[in-house]
Amino acid sequence: MSSILVYAELSEGKLASTSLELMAKARELGDVYAVALGAGAKAAAATLGKHGAKAVHVSEDAAFDDYIAEPATDAVAALTEKEKPDAILFGFTPDSREVAGRLAARLGTGLISNASDLVAEGGGFVARVPYFGGAKVASMKANGKPAIVLIRPKSFEASETGGTAEVKDLGVAVSDSSKRAHIVERVAEASEKVKLEDARVVVSGGRGLGGPQNFPMLEDLADALGGAVGASRAVVDAGWVPYSMQVGQTGKSVRPGVYIAVGISGAMQHTVGMKTSKVIIAINKDAEAPIMKMADLGVVGDALKIVPALTAAVKKKKNG
Amino acid sequence: MKIVVTVKQVPDPNATHTLEGDNTLSREKEAVLDPGDECGVEEGLQLKEAHGGEVVLVSMGPERAKDAIRKGLSMGADRAILITDAALAGADALLTARALAAAIKGESPDLVICATESYDGSTGMVPPMLAELLGVPQLTFAKKVEIDGSTVKIHRQTADGYQIIEAPTPALVTVTAAIAEPRYASLKGIMAARSKEIKQVGFADLGVDKGEPAETIEGVVDAEARKAGEVIEDDGTAVDKIVQVLTTAKVL
Ligand SMILES: Cc1cc2nc3c(=O)[nH]c(=O)nc-3n(C[C@H](O)[C@H](O)[C@H](O)COP(=O)(O)OP(=O)(O)OC[C@H]3O[C@@H](n4cnc5c(N)ncnc54)[C@H](O)[C@@H]3O)c2cc1C
Ligand SMILES: Nc1ncnc2c1ncn2[C@@H]1O[C@H](COP(=O)(O)O)[C@@H](O)[C@H]1O
């Protein structure tokens, strides 16, 4: 049986949902244990246990929250030395990828980044990696020992198996030499009512909305549906909405029950972040836009007219 | 202050790409300086303008990568190093980072600037690997960079806002496209770039351990496409149709 180490990402005491998605995959591949670092690690261990971790190595040293990458790299490197996992899984998220990169360089093994799936094959691991913005998928055999693989968020569905993890104190002291890139302040800009990544309905807007003044229209619709608002990179780059709303290759991955793309052409770099949505609805005035070829329902028309009418109809249906 | 900016030549994002028989990207098409690295060059130049010093470009790639380097030089960078060697063809992120690290060590910069991820590789792994190999802290996803004596301070873009990060130099910073609008090269800049030095080094000059590639590509297939559904003109009934789909999907 292979041994799989999952790097459980904590941010301000909260376990990242991606880590639980990784657990679901890791269980298929072998015996799973995890490492959780920083505030909330012990509470996270209980959750990880329910998702199939046999053991969780924890440390609640504040250095893991306050300094970027280096303390975590030291800890995972020491753990790897001791436990010799066959594979280490990271989420392809900003925080995890920094640790994974440093770790692979330190261990001298290299890694596979941006994977969308991982399978056991011939005694090793083969990752599926989308490229060209998701048009092609490559099968890559991991040569590293351990195999270090970064997997895109929302690639798998998290599910509980109902177990209990043994909590093991990591017992490493973070050295002062690793306390360098210091987070001195956290500034929250977006006060999201519903988290984009976890919303069951996402209404995303693109350049077709014509300008930032029309984005509140999408908020009204999202509110009526209990969902969240996303955006294409074109409008984020144009400064209409903050980066936190960007969906796609260089933004967030989402997998809602319904994704409504409004005035978005459907470039591959965008669709790679939303194409696993259960139902896709597109509103676009161009019947030839690529998004129309992947939507379950494509509506050819003017978004500025359709969206307010749709919001009204949704409200009416809910109240009536 | 000495600033190294890593720059990569990539296939033009506006062209269509093809694969070679060995599953590597065809490099024959139009190639350009990575748009992300263009932002890195711009930020390097702005820091130099504020604090003095030198901007050195470091790149690994085939000889034709000189075209991309020239672009950075014509924007205003001072000189460049190109690591080029047949032995490095198809290098993975770790080998790339090892080669870049060896060349950068020789420069002992105060600051190394990379883009958060390349347009073509998109692994985002070269910068953290490079930081580890150089033994410096990494400050990533910067949308703003400030230098104060021997401290570098950035605004790091996060999912719901930003963090303010500080570290002592030498350090490595990765920048997002939000950092700065790259300048256009002036005619004067283009002329001046012709006489700027591009030092070419081979793999053997670097004394790097080649190591094993992290992965072996076993095959490439077209991604599974979603099936197209129904496309309707908005003839006044579209809203009803959408409501119907929302209801079937149980979100209404
Ligand atoms: C390395 C790299 C990474 C990238 N990462 C991302 C990413 O993470 N996310 C992302 O989204 N993009 C990303 N992109 C950019 C991507 O390639 C596209 O440029 C971008 O998604 C286009 O945004 P858009 O659809 O809003 O704009 P456009 O492509 O300009 O499309 C606008 C659409 O609106 C329609 N329209 C116009 N008016 C109306 C109207 N009144 N009513 C209805 N429809 C209308 C038009 O028909 C058109 O289809 C990336 C690109 C690169 C090179
Ligand atoms: N061959 C290369 N030459 C110079 N810089 C590179 C090279 N590969 C990657 N980089 C740098 O690292 C960044 C991230 O690349 P990647 O890790 O491939 O996504 C790039 O934008 C460059 O700044």
Side-chain angles (χ1 to χ4, degrees):
Chain A
M1 198 72 168
S2 299
S3 67
I4 315 288
L5 173 61
V6 169
Y7 179 79
E9 180 178 313
L10 288 169
S11 166
E12 295 176 59
K14 269 197 64 194
L15 182 61
S17 54
T18 304
S19 303
L20 297 179
E21 295 158 17
L22 293 181
M23 289 299 306
K25 183 64 200 191
R27 291 196 309 256
E28 290 172 17
L29 300 173
D31 281 332
V32 190
Y33 58 112
V35 57
L37 305 170
K42 287 192 184 127
T47 311
L48 290 160
K50 284 189 197 132
H51 286 255
K54 301 220 158 114
V56 182
H57 298 262
V58 301
S59 168
E60 297 210 337
D61 193 321
F64 294 115
D65 300 304
D66 295 345
Y67 295 90
I68 297 206
E70 291 181 86
T73 306
D74 294 350
V76 182
L79 184 63
T80 302
E81 179 92 353
K82 204 168 97 200
E83 300 284 334
K84 307 214 167 8
D86 296 307
I88 309 179
L89 308 190
F90 287 87
F92 188 59
T93 62
D95 285 350
S96 289
R97 71 191 223 191
E98 315 221 11
V99 180
R102 285 197 91 111
L103 179 71
R106 188 167 309 173
L107 300 178
T109 58
L111 48 65
I112 297 181
S113 182
N114 201 18
S116 58
D117 199 2
L118 186 66
V119 294
E121 221 176 87
F125 301 96
V126 174
R128 312 271 185 240
V129 184
Y131 61 115
F132 290 157
K136 304 264 179 191
V137 180
S139 290
M140 295 185 172
K141 186 171 182 348
N143 300 329
K145 193 84 183 115
I148 301 177
V149 184
L150 290 96
I151 303 183
R152 293 187 63 86
K154 304 292 169 194
S155 294
F156 320 113
E157 234 156 304
S159 64
E160 283 191 20
T161 49
T164 313
E166 184 188 347
V167 179
K168 294 184 173 174
D169 191 356
L170 199 58
V172 290
V174 177
S175 76
D176 282 340
S177 60
S178 293
K179 294 181 183 171
R180 295 193 287 189
H182 186 194
I183 305 178
V184 291
E185 200 180 326
R186 293 184 162 84
V187 184
E189 283 178 323
S191 57
E192 302 165 23
K193 283 167 250 171
V194 182
K195 262 187 103 154
L196 181 56
E197 302 90 308
D198 304 329
R200 43 183 216 124
V201 181
V202 172
V203 183
S204 279
R207 195 140 49 188
L209 275 170
Q213 72 281 3
N214 293 325
F215 254 77
M217 192 187 284
L218 300 188
E219 271 155 40
D220 292 344
L221 177 57
D223 282 350
L225 290 166
V229 180
S232 74
R233 169 155 159 186
V235 304
V236 171
D237 284 353
W240 297 2
V241 295
Y243 169 74
S244 57
M245 287 167 63
Q246 183 175 319
V247 172
Q249 184 184 324
T250 43
K252 290 178 179 168
S253 292
V254 298
R255 194 181 198 170
V258 177
Y259 188 90
I260 309 181
V262 184
I264 290 178
S265 59
M268 266 172 320
Q269 293 90 358
H270 182 80
T271 58
V272 73
M274 47 65 78
K275 68 177 174 191
T276 57
S277 303
K278 293 205 182 66
V279 174
I280 296 173
I281 300 173
I283 303 173
N284 197 304
K285 68 177 186 191
D286 178 8
E288 299 304 315
I291 192 81
M292 293 302 199
K293 295 184 181 61
M294 63 181 305
D296 299 282
L297 175 64
V299 175
V300 183
D302 184 356
L304 303 184
K305 292 209 186 84
I306 296 170
V307 172
L310 177 58
T311 307
V314 166
K315 284 187 181 154
K316 192 167 149 223
K317 170 123 206 251
K318 270 175 57 181
N319 299 331
Chain B
M1 193 168 72
K2 192 192 264 188
I3 301 168
V4 161
V5 183
T6 58
V7 294
K8 187 180 184 189
Q9 189 183 46
V10 297
D12 188 339
N14 298 316
T16 44
H17 308 313
T18 49
L19 283 182
E20 301 287 8
D22 62 353
N23 288 324
T24 55
L25 210 56
S26 167
R27 309 273 161 176
E28 291 316 305
K29 286 260 168 58
E30 272 304 289
V32 297
L33 171 60
D34 192 312
D37 289 333
E38 230 175 286
C39 296
V41 174
E42 176 61 39
E43 184 56 27
L45 293 173
Q46 289 189 13
L47 289 172
K48 174 188 161 175
E49 280 153 14
H51 303 278
E54 191 187 19
V55 175
V56 183
L57 309 180
V58 177
S59 185
M60 184 183 106
E63 270 217 58
R64 64 194 289 245
K66 280 185 179 165
D67 295 341
I69 292 175
R70 283 276 177 239
K71 168 93 188 271
L73 293 174
S74 60
M75 285 170 72
D78 296 285
R79 58 189 171 85
I81 300 171
L82 172 63
I83 308 160
T84 187
D85 204 307
L88 290 167
D92 66 4
L94 184 56
L95 181 54
T96 303
R98 281 178 170 155
L100 292 173
I104 292 170
K105 268 185 187 149
E107 293 289 331
S108 307
D110 301 291
L111 199 66
V112 178
I113 300 178
C114 311
T116 48
E117 64 236 326
S118 59
Y119 164 72
D120 58 345
S122 275
T123 70
M125 284 299 126
V126 170
M129 288 175 164
L130 194 52
E132 172 69 21
L133 297 171
L134 293 171
V136 301
Q138 71 203 56
L139 299 87
T140 46
F141 297 93
K143 53 178 188 168
K144 183 174 168 186
V145 181
E146 283 168 4
I147 301 284
D148 183 5
S150 58
T151 300
V152 53
K153 183 166 148 181
I154 69 151
H155 285 191
R156 177 180 190 248
Q157 200 147 59
T158 61
D160 53 10
Y162 63 94
Q163 300 166 337
I164 299 175
I165 318 272
E166 272 179 18
T169 56
L172 179 141
V173 169
T174 72
V175 298
T176 69
I179 193 92
E181 188 67 35
R183 68 193 63 187
Y184 287 104
S186 65
L187 188 58
K188 203 168 133 231
I190 295 169
M191 299 302 286
R194 291 194 185 151
S195 56
K196 285 177 179 168
E197 181 200 17
I198 302 179
K199 186 173 141 199
Q200 204 163 313
V201 297
F203 189 59
D205 309 323
L206 295 170
V208 175
D209 169 18
K210 197 165 175 208
E212 284 295 310
E215 77 258 342
T216 313
I217 299 185
E218 296 194 320
V220 179
V221 295
D222 285 335
E224 218 179 286
R226 266 184 93 104
K227 275 195 279 302
E230 194 184 348
V231 177
I232 56 169
E233 287 286 339
D234 177 30
D235 57 1
T237 59
V239 165
D240 293 340
K241 183 79 192 172
I242 298 174
V243 169
Q244 208 180 314
V245 171
L246 293 172
T247 311
T248 312
K250 297 197 174 64
V251 298
L252 237 189

